[in-house]
């Protein structure tokens, strides 16, 4: 197959500066796409009783076509991982799920994304409750320049979730407990959140998200700025959170994806190449691109 | 690099040009300072003088009579002013100070009269005051209204308190600071005049002149008298905005703004051109300027400026100064000063 | 030869030196093994020659001009007849002025006496001689410099380093001017202030509650009591500044928020420069506006409400000053709001905060230190603002916090105390310098704090 | 929405779904949102209102100053009065008066005559003099001459005086009004463009006053300021940004510069008074002193702007230059400075604009005098445009209010042009690295 050879050829350019790689890969896959007339995703994109469904989602940043016709379901109480090389659109994709892309100028989205059967890009949909339901944790921990307590209490406070101080205290405590941070910070709740270590900050951000009691949590490479020990703590946390929440996690670490997720979706240059159960994707990928990526030929 | 050199070269060129321009050139224009009351008259004369002769137009700074005399008396020489305007006569202390600094020959020129008016906005009714009212309203300490020869801090808040025939309005008077000749003349003519109506105060003049002056000349400082600077025009603007306030300024400002403000009657005399010229209006004072004789043949144009100022077309009854509000002197007085200026006769002592 | 011609000649000479130096370098460089042998590029040899030719000559020229006038005057005076020479200095000075006017061809007053005319001719001669001497001296210095450098040019001469060294010294000299300015300011107000504090105790000045500097300036005049307590003046200044801030901070901050968070590009492109026009309007225009438009308006509206508003109310001056400061606050706040990282906004939005909640609870607290610094800078500007208060605020130093009353400010007092009356001995004029010192110190402290805060804030997000 | 699935909240605290809680408070929150947004818009609207009020009030007061009322006189240039010897000093005023009397032969009495003479400006006689001096052959003819009307007449024609108020409260009396009406009906009154305003120096007569003297004063002052502050400012910025080692000395310089940028301008006036006037003995009221003071005041602005322009040049360019073996000085002169120059120029223009509008320090150094002659050099006594505005704001004549406003308009035109130039320069040369 010519297409695969093309990709194989670009495999080595991964060592070149990122920009060049992308351009080369784009050039290469330009040819790939011509050959791959049917761009349908390999694997089962649907699940029973999906929490969120995406159909034919396209995203443009100005002229740049960042996501190309992606369809994918997110099931209940599962952790679904998005993997793929840099710039493949996985972050863009999850930012569509709670309309964080709205804040980016020149971003245009087509297609349908539903949450519990309701189109979140529908005319009368309000982003505020949507985002309260679909929380998000970012690549770089971004605690507010306030105390730890205030960081957690911020969401419940603006949404009016606590009737009084005691309830708020309780929410803060449970959230911190769930995020596994309680024991570390319970005596320092008044200290600024920015004073914590990177891993703690990220868990603080997770706790902040949990405090609003969302139904879906989006995590955009939550461990990329952390060391392996902090990463391990977060991964354990994700595992625990799965009990109560639906989690969509973007990661460029395949190991992490295999450790925390039940399903994995592989993105490549804006296309969703393959979806499947995590063990299947990592042990027996159906698509050549997936296999190349997983086996480390590029990425 | 080359650009940098060019830049540097230009800088040096400029600095050198300035240097050469400022080094060693003489002053060829008259430098006048002094009263803000005389300023409008002096500037008109200066302008006429500049336009009708080949001399440069004098430079005139408005510094107030006190400040002007101080600068004037600082010494003889190009760096000191040649002429100072004053809205009152030079005082003995100033005269001595001048002499002490080498300014021994001073030519005194009286140019005319100016009424000091207490004016208020046309939106309110004109006030009919007496000098006694003015004294009682504005002095720092006034005779105890209960009688007796004691002084108490000024208790009056409204004009009605001062005199029941006056309106029930708060006393708010905008007037000049003590550096101003207008203020000097005002306290001397209006307040002292009013204070004299108390016989015991009048009697004090002979006994204890200093205490007498302190009573007559000290203006209250509790906010009823607002020192509004020497900017008479702004006072007029402010009066227009505030119908309750009175302003103290020269007649020329009243004359210019007759559509906005009106002068209060003082001792039943309205401040009009005629009344002041005839000496009816009690609060009017002469205006002067003083010239250093030592400068006369050195700084170009001083003599010619004096001629212009003392010409009939300037200070005469139909002269252009009267149009600006200066009240001309009687013919004999004008002639007297005209002659003394022509003869450059100097002030020997203050009679 | 006039100084201007001389300067031009020196410049031409320097240019000539440049070519001589370059040429020499080429010749010297080629003498050995080609141009490559030269330490620096030929233009540096040229530049070095030009500098060594021009700078000493220019310095000589400068010194000459500085002292020329004094020396010549003395020479001329010594030639004057005894009678004139024996005049007191001041009158001699006048005669010299007359001579100078004659020399300059100005109109001269009165009759020109023969001896004065002679002196003027003498002066003119001297001037001609001096100019000629200066020309000869400067040109010879220039040529000498040129020759020396030219002779020194060898392939080993490190011309570039020397040129760069000279330029570096010039740059250093330029950068120290700021220090000299500060020293100049401090000295120029300090000496007079010390004299003032000799007359008025410093504690009385700083803590006195009464300000009434209108002392009698002559012995026979009865002035006011002459109290020099700066507290009312400062309270007045702070009152007006506070009013200004009450106008400027909310409006400036809210406009900055709207422009940076809500407005679309076109709106921003139009509104931002328009707001900034407010900062470009000279303060004298604001003063005129305040005195003639705003103050009467406030006064009239006060009357409608049955309030007694002074026609020189602090409110009018403060409000107009606030308008002036709006763009200052808004553009600084804009900078700081834009400096808040997008990640913080994302964090808040992802929790479901509305835009205003994000702004109020996340962006503003994050930008607060910067904004506070900016506001402090604005306060220091308000305190030092002069023309608006000179034209619209009063002179009466009332110790009050009522914005409807008249108050006075430090700058108003400086202007009224100093404009015109220039003699440096009464506490009245000296008080202006003490106030100037106080003003300088207060704004200095404010600026230092503000700049520290701002810098710290900038580092936080850099 | 589908609420069938248990969402795992601890059974102890039975909680509603987030969505419901959020939706409940949403209306209130959106109202707050809209309110907040409105405040923002309001703030901008308020600033715009202030700006337009300012402009409207000034333009409304001042636009009429660009026109001036002229009166046509038929002047007989009497050879008896104008003899050859004293053409420059002849009684031109008399000629003007005579022609006025000729037009209104029935005016009698000193008072009335005076009122009549007051109708035309005192500048009329100088205008006649200039006419005769330039064209001596007109002597003996009767010429129609347009002379400027007096400021009161001017104000009336422009509608600034209300002619319906009581006579006693008017500057123009009924008789004068009648004469004016007669003149207008004879087409002898006309409003023409006021060239005097742009070509004359200060004057006590509003109809003869112009801003040219002040503009020239401002020009000389700004030349001094520019020549001193720009090169020195750029040199200082280059040193501090490119060469200075980081030590206490340069720290001190930095702190100084930042402080000086925020020191009140009046303090610079005090500096000028003490140092330039009293210590160096430079002349009062001279543009050179004004320029020096303003240069010191603008210097920090120029330095700060130049430094940020230098900072904006990316280090990669410096490294590239150093990498090919340029010396530090060469790197700066050949690469950094040319790239930063537009930014520096922008800063300089803004600094100049600020200096042009500055008044307070000039008050301290005596540039507030009455000066009629147009300054021709750096040491001539001069005033500056903003100071002229300050002086005119003080003048008693009503006609000066419109002239003040007109002078403000001229000043604003200058300032807006300069700022626009700075903006254009920035736009034109702005590089995104």
């Amino acid at each position: 197959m010519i297409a695969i050879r093309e990709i194989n050829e670009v495999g080595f350019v991964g060592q070149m500066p990122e920009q060049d790689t992308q351009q080369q890969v784009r050039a290469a896959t330009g040819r790939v796409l011509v050959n791959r007339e049917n761009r349908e995703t390999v694997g089962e994109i649907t699940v029973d009783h999906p929490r969120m469904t995406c159909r034919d989602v396209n995203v443009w940043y100005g002229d740049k076509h960042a996501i190309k016709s992606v369809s994918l379901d997110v099931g209940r109480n599962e952790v679904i991982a998005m993997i793929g090389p840099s710039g493949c659109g996985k972050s863009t994709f999850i930012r569509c799920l709670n309309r964080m892309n709205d804040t980016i100028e020149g971003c245009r989205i087509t297609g349908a994304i539903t949450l519990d059967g309701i189109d979140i890009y529908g005319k009368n949909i309000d982003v505020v409750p949507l985002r309260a339901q679909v929380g998000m944790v970012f690549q770089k921990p971004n605690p507010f320049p306030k105390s730890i307590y205030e960081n957690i209490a911020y969401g419940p406070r603006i949404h009016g979730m606590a009737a009084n101080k005691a309830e708020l205290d309780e929410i803060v405590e449970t959230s911190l407990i769930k995020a596994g941070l309680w024991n570390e910070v319970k005596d320092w709740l008044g200290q600024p959140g920015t004073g914590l270590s990177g891993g703690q900050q990220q868990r603080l951000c997770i706790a902040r998200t949990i405090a609003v009691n969302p139904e879906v949590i989006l995590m955009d490479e939550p461990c990329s700025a952390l060391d392996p020990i902090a990463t391990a703590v977060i991964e354990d946390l994700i595992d625990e959170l799965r009990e109560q929440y639906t989690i969509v996690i973007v990661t460029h670490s395949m190991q992490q994806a295999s450790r925390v997720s039940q399903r994995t979706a592989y993105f490549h240059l804006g296309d969703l190449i393959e979806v499947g159960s995590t063990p299947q994707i990592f042990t027996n990928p159906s698509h050549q691109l997936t296999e190349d990526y997983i086996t480390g030929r590029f990425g | 690099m080359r650009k940098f050199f060019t830049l540097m070269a230009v800088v040096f060129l400029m600095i050198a040009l300035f240097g050469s321009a400022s080094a060693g050139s003489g002053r060829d224009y008259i430098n006048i300072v002094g009263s803000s009351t005389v300023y409008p008259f002096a500037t008109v004369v200066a302008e006429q003088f500049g336009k009708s002769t080949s001399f440069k137009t004098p430079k005139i700074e408005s510094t107030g009579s006190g400040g002007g005399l101080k600068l004037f008396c600082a010494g003889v020489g190009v760096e000191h002013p040649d002429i100072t305007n004053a809205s009152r006569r030079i005082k003995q202390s100033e005269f001595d100070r001048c002499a002490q600094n080498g300014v021994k020959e001073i030519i005194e020129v009286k140019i005319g009269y100016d009424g000091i008016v207490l004016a208020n906005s046309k939106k309110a009714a004109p006030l009919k005051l007496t000098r006694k009212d003015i004294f009682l309203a504005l002095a720092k300490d006034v005779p105890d209204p209960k009688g007796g020869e004691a002084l108490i801090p000024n208790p009056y808040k409204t004009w009605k308190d001062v005199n029941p025939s006056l309106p029930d309005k708060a006393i708010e008077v905008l007037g000049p600071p003590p550096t101003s000749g207008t203020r000097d003349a005002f306290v001397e003519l209006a307040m002292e005049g009013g204070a004299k109506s108390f016989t015991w105060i009048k009697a004090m003049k002979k006994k204890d002149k200093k205490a007498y002056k302190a009573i007559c000349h000290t203006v209250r400082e509790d906010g009823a008298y607002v020192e509004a600077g020497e900017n008479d025009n702004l006072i007029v603007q402010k009066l227009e905005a505030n119908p309750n306030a009175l302003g103290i300024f020269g007649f020329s400002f009243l004359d210019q703004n007759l559509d906005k403000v009106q002068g209060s009657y003082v001792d039943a005399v309205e401040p009009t051109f005629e009344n002041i010229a005839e000496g009816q209006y009690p609060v009017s004072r002469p205006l002067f300027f003083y010239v250093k004789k030592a400068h006369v043949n050195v700084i170009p144009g001083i003599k010619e400026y004096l001629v212009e100022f003392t010409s009939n077309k300037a200070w005469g009854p139909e002269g252009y100064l009267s149009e600006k509000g200066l009240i001309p002197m009687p013919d004999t007085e004008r002639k007297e000063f005209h002659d003394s200026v022509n003869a450059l006769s100097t002030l020997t002592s203050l009679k | 030869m006039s100084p201007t011609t001389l300067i031009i000649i020196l410049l031409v000479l320097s240019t000539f030196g440049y070519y001589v130096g370059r040429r020499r370098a080429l010749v010297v460089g080629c003498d050995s093994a080609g141009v490559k042998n030269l330490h620096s590029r030929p233009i540096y040899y040229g530049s070095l020659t030009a500098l060594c030719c021009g700078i000493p000559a220019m310095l000589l020229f400068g010194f000459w001009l500085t002292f020329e006038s004094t020396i010549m005057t003395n020479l001329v005076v010594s030639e004057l007849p005894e009678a004139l020479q024996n005049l007191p200095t001041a009158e001699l000075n006048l005669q010299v002025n007359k001579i100078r006017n004659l020399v300059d061809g100005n109109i001269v007053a009165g009759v020109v006496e023969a001896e004065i005319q002679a002196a003027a001719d003498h002066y003119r001669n001297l001037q001609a001689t001096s100019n000629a001497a200066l020309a000869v001296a400067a040109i010879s210095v220039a040529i000498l410099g040129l020759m020396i450098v030219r002779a020194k040019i060898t392939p080993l001469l490190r011309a570039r380093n020397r040129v760069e060294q000279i330029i570096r010294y010039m740059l250093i000299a330029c950068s120290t001017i700021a220090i000299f300015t500060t020293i100049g300011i401090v000295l120029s107000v300090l000496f007079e202030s010390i004299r003032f504090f000799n007359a008025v105790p410093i504690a009385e000045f700083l803590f006195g509650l009464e300000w009434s500097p209108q002392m009698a300036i002559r012995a026979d005049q009865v002035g006011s009591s002459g109290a020099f307590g700066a507290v009312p003046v400062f309270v007045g200044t702070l009152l007006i500044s506070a009013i200004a801030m009450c106008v400027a901070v909310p409006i400036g901050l809210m406009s900055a928020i709207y422009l940076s968070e809500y407005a679309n590009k076109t709106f921003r492109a139009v509104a931002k420069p328009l707001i900034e026009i407010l900062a470009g309007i000279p303060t004298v225009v604001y003063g005129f506006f305040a005195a003639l438009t705003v103050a009467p308006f406030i006064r009239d509206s006060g009357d409608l409400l049955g309030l007694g508003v002074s026609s020189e109310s602090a409110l009018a001056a403060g409000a107009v000053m606030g308008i002036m400061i709006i763009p200052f606050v808004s553009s600084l706040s804009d900078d700081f709001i834009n400096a808040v990282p997008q990640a913080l906004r994302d964090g808040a939005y992802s929790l479901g905060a509305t835009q205003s909640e994000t702004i109020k609870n996340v962006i503003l607290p994050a930008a607060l230190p910067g904004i506070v610094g900016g506001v402090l800078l604005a306060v220091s500007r308000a305190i030092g603002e002069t023309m608006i208060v000179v034209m619209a605020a009063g002179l009466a130093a009332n110790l009050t916090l009522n914005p409807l009353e008249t108050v006075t400010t430090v700058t108003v007092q400086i202007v009224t105390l100093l404009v015109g009356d220039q003699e440096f001995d009464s506490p009245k004029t000296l008080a202006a310098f003490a106030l100037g010192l106080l003003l300088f110190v207060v704004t200095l402290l404010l600026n230092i704090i503000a700049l520290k805060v701002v810098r710290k804030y900038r580092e936080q997000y850099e | 929405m589908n609420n069938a699935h248990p969402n795992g909240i601890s059974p102890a605290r039975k909680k509603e779904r987030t969505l419901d809680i959020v939706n409940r408070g949403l209306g209130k929150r959106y109202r707050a949102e809209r309110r907040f947004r409105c405040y923002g818009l309001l703030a901008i609207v308020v600033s715009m209102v202030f700006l337009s009020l300012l402009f409207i009030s000034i333009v409304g007061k001042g636009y009429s100053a660009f026109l001036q009322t002229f009166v046509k006189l038929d002047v007989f240039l009497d050879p008896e009065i104008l003899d050859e010897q004293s053409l420059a000093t002849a009684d031109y005023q008399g000629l003007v008066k005579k022609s006025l009397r000729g037009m209104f032969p029935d005016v009698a009495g000193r008072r009335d005559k005076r009122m009549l003479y007051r109708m035309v400006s005192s500048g009329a006689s100088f205008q006649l003099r200039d006419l005769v001096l330039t064209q001596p052959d007109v002597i003996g003819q009767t010429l129609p001459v347009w002379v400027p009307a007096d400021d009161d007449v001017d104000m009336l024609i422009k509608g600034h005086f209300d002619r319906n108020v009581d006579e006693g409260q008017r500057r123009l009396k009924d008789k004068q009004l009648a004469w004016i009406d007669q003149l207008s009906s004879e087409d002898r009154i006309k409003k023409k463009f006021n060239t005097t305003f742009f070509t004359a120096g200060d004057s006590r007569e509003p109809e003869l006053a112009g801003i040219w003297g002040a503009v020239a004063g401002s020009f000389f002052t700004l030349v001094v300021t520019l020549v001193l502050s720009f090169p020195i400012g750029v040199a200082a910025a280059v040193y501090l940004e490119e060469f200075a080692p980081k030590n206490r000395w340069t720290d001190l310089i930095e702190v100084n510069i930042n402080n000086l940028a925020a020191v009140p301008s009046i303090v610079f006036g005090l500096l000028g008074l003490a140092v330039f006037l009293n210590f160096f003995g430079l002349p009062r009221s001279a543009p050179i002193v004004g320029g020096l003071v303003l240069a010191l005041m603008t210097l920090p602005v120029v330095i700060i702007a130049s430094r940020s322009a230098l900072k904006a040049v990316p280090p990669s360019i410096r490294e590239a230059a150093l990498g090919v073996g340029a010396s530090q000085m060469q790197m700066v002169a050949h690469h950094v400075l040319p790239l930063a120059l537009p930014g520096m120029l922008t800063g300089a223009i803004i600094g100049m604009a600020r200096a042009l509008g500055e008044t307070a320090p000039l008050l301290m150094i005596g540039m507030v005098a009455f000066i009629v002659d147009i300054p021709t050099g750096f040491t001539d006594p001069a005033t500056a445009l903003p100071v002229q505005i300050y002086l005119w704001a003080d003048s008693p004549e009503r006609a000066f209010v419109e002239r003040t406003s007109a002078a403000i308009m001229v000043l604003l035109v200058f300032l807006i042009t300069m700022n626009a130039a700075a903006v254009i320069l920035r736009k034109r040369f702005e590089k995104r690295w």
Side-chain angles (χ1 to χ4, degrees), chain C residues 41 43-44 160 163-165 167-168 170-172 174-186 188-189 192 247 250-252 254-259 262-263 267 271 274-275 277-278 280-286 288-289 292-293 319 323 326 352-357 359-360 364 377 380-381 383-387 390-391 411-412 414-415 418-420 422 424 432-433 435-437 439-440 443-444 447-448 451 455, chain D residues 26 29-30 32-34 36-44 46-48 50-51 53-55 57-58 61 231-240 243-245 249 252-268 270-275 278 284 296 299 303 327-330 334 353-354 356-360 363-364 366 368 385-387 389-390 393-394 400-401 404-405 408 411-412 415-416 419:
Chain C
R41 282 177 59 217
I43 65 152
Y44 285 100
R160 184 176 54 73
V163 171
E164 290 184 354
Q165 202 60 36
I167 293 177
R168 190 185 271 245
M170 288 185 187
L171 295 183
I172 293 177
C174 290
S175 66
T176 48
I177 287 188
I179 293 194
F180 286 119
T181 311
T182 310
I183 295 175
I185 289 176
V186 171
S188 56
V189 291
E192 310 301 339
V247 174
I251 295 182
M254 285 311 293
S255 344
I257 288 171
Y258 190 84
L259 286 180
Y262 287 107
F267 187 83
L274 278 180
I275 291 181
I277 287 182
L278 284 173
I281 294 174
T283 53
V284 67
V285 177
Y286 281 111
F288 184 71
F289 181 62
L292 293 194
T293 310
I323 299 175
I326 289 173
T354 64
Q355 210 166 352
S356 65
E357 284 160 357
I359 293 165
K360 279 188 278 192
L364 283 187
L377 281 180
S380 110
R381 172 161 291 202
I383 289 179
E385 171 47 44
T386 310
M387 292 318 293
V390 164
M391 293 171 86
T411 46
V412 172
I414 294 178
V415 170
L418 267 192
V419 167
Q422 304 294 344
F424 277 39
F433 287 90
L435 284 176
L437 182 66
L439 183 65
F440 180 72
T443 48
L444 183 80
N447 295 340
I448 288 178
L451 290 170
R455 186 179 300 170
Chain D
L26 214 53
R29 285 168 67 192
Y30 273 123
E33 169 76 27
R34 270 195 302 275
F36 189 73
R37 208 186 153 117
C38 276
Y39 293 150
L41 198 57
L42 193 71
I44 292 178
V46 168
S47 332
M48 294 298 114
F50 282 144
L51 185 67
L53 264 183
L54 188 76
F55 276 93
S57 108
I58 282 162
K61 280 195 184 103
I232 295 179
V234 168
V238 165
Y239 177 73
L240 290 173
F243 296 101
W249 177 243
L252 182 70
I253 295 180
E254 277 221 55
V255 169
N256 259 307
I257 289 170
N258 286 331
N259 279 324
L260 284 180
V263 162
S265 59
I266 191 165
V267 174
F268 285 97
L270 291 177
L271 170 78
L273 175 64
V275 173
N278 293 326
R284 269 178 83 85
L296 290 183
L299 198 57
I303 295 179
S327 73
Q328 210 179 2
M329 193 68 77
Q330 285 169 328
H334 299 156
R354 203 182 135 191
L356 174 60
E358 198 55 72
T359 319
L363 299 185
M364 300 282 100
V368 279
L385 201 44
V387 185
I389 290 167
Y390 175 67
D394 278 8
F400 269 120
V401 173
T404 313
S405 303
I408 288 175
L411 179 62
L412 288 180
L415 287 174
I416 290 173
N419 282 311

Side-chain angles (χ1 to χ4, degrees), chain B residues 22-58:
Chain B
S22 63
S25 69
R27 174 150 75 77
D28 57 349
Y29 54 89
I30 306 172
N31 188 353
I32 303 175
V33 293
S35 161
S36 58
T37 317
V38 185
Y39 175 85
F41 309 127
T43 46
V44 173
V45 177
E47 193 178 339
Q48 282 286 333
F49 165 76
K51 284 197 174 137
S52 55
T53 65
S54 50
F55 294 102
K56 287 203 172 169
T57 312

Side-chain angles (χ1 to χ4, degrees), chain A residues 137-143 196-206 219-238 249 252-253 256 259:
Chain A
V137 176
F138 297 86
Q139 187 168 2
K140 232 181 102 194
N142 54 352
L196 297 172
S197 74
Q200 286 173 322
Q201 284 193 13
Q202 194 61 293
R203 276 181 283 150
L204 179 68
C205 292
I206 293 173
M219 295 189 175
D220 187 0
E221 302 191 26
C223 304
S224 67
L226 306 179
D227 62 58
I229 298 167
T231 305
V233 175
I234 303 261
E235 283 176 5
D236 291 346
L237 173 60
I238 293 171
I249 180 169
H252 56 225
S253 152
Q256 187 172 57
R259 280 194 298 267

